[in-house]
Amino acid sequence: MSPWTSYWLWVAALAAALFLPVSKLVWVLSVRRMERRLGHPLSDQDRQGQLNRARFVAIVVCVAFSALFNYQMLDMSSHG
């Protein structure tokens, strides 16, 4: 297996492992911020909207972090 193939497999594995905790953290922080700003609890529809937003943000953050982390840990700069 080429080094780049194993790199992308590790990126996918780490991103998948981080997705649930990161999306939950982003969602909780987002809901709390909106409730504090509005001064009342959010409706279920608003919470669902924030959950969708948190999942999108989590995908971007997890893939970016995983790619950079694995690039550094696997020393991919020496593989061209």
Side-chain angles (χ1 to χ4, degrees):
M1 182 179 333
S2 76
W4 285 101
T5 303
S6 62
Y7 166 74
W8 286 111
L9 289 174
W10 280 112
V11 167
L14 181 59
L18 290 174
F19 175 74
L20 286 177
V22 171
S23 66
K24 187 68 147 185
L25 177 66
V26 171
W27 179 69
V28 167
L29 293 174
S30 177
V31 167
R32 286 182 182 176
R33 186 188 74 230
M34 282 193 71
E35 286 179 344
R36 186 175 54 245
R37 189 171 6 130
L38 296 174
H40 59 81
L42 295 178
S43 67
D44 288 338
Q45 184 179 9
D46 290 335
R47 285 179 184 258
Q48 186 62 39
Q50 289 301 309
L51 182 60
N52 292 338
R53 180 178 171 268
R55 286 178 179 161
F56 177 75
V57 170
I59 288 171
V60 172
V61 169
C62 290
V63 170
F65 172 79
S66 179
L68 293 172
F69 179 81
N70 282 307
Y71 189 84
Q72 184 69 29
M73 292 303 293
L74 299 175
D75 192 26
M76 295 308 290
S77 61
S78 65
H79 294 291

